[in-house]
Amino acid sequence: MTIDSKARMFLEQIQRRLKQFNIPHQVMESKCDQSKSATPMPFKCNYMIVMYLQNDNLGHQDTYIYLNAIGDTYSLVAVQTSRTTETLINICHQLGMLYGVPFKRLEKVQGEVENYYFIF
C-alpha cells in the first residue's frame, strides 16, 4: 500500500505524539464499507485505519483515519475523533490543522456526542 504525503505526515505525527506521551493504543486496518455505516459520512472512502487509544490525553480518544485509493495510492480524506475536547477543537480552528495537516472543514458527527470529522 502506497500512501500520499499528506496521509504519511498525519500518520507520522500522530504516532510521534502517542510515543511522546506513552499512550497505549491498538491499530486496526480494514476496508471502509460506507453502506454499513449507521450514519451517512460526508465523504467517500474505501479504506480506514483505526487507532484505539486508552485515554484522551491528546484531546481526543479513538481516531478513525479514512483513506481513498486513486490508482495505487491512498489519499487522506477525513479523520474522525471521539471524546474530542473543546480545547482541541479551539486549537484546530485557530490553526486550521490537525497534527500539522491542514483540513478543509470540521463537522460534528451526526447523532454522536463529542465526535468530529476533520475533512481534508
Side-chain angles (χ1 to χ4, degrees):
M1 174 167 113
T2 304
I3 59 174
D4 70 1
S5 60
K6 191 185 302 185
R8 183 178 300 108
M9 181 176 179
F10 182 86
L11 290 168
E12 288 172 357
Q13 289 299 321
I14 195 168
Q15 289 170 342
R16 283 185 187 139
R17 298 296 81 76
L18 293 170
K19 186 175 180 179
Q20 177 184 2
F21 296 108
N22 198 28
I23 297 174
H25 63 284
Q26 180 178 6
V27 178
M28 297 182 74
E29 298 181 31
S30 69
K31 292 183 178 179
C32 183
D33 186 355
Q34 292 178 296
S35 66
K36 294 181 180 178
S37 177
T39 57
M41 295 179 189
F43 50 84
K44 293 192 182 283
C45 69
N46 53 23
Y47 195 76
M48 65 188 245
I49 301 170
V50 182
M51 294 183 166
Y52 297 106
L53 310 184
Q54 190 166 347
N55 57 51
D56 63 358
N57 292 350
L58 294 178
H60 62 85
Q61 196 154 359
D62 299 337
T63 306
Y64 303 81
I65 303 160
Y66 298 101
L67 305 165
N68 199 39
I70 300 170
D72 293 340
T73 303
Y74 286 85
S75 299
L76 182 63
V77 175
V79 172
Q80 178 185 341
T81 57
S82 67
R83 294 189 61 198
T84 313
T85 64
E86 285 299 316
T87 302
L88 179 65
I89 295 298
N90 291 336
I91 290 169
C92 289
H93 270 300
Q94 289 174 359
L95 297 175
M97 292 187 230
L98 178 65
Y99 292 104
V101 179
F103 59 88
K104 293 178 184 170
R105 68 183 192 275
L106 177 65
E107 290 185 21
K108 192 158 179 41
V109 177
Q110 199 174 36
E112 298 286 335
V113 179
E114 300 174 337
N115 287 15
Y116 291 85
Y117 288 123
F118 293 83
I119 301 173
F120 296 89

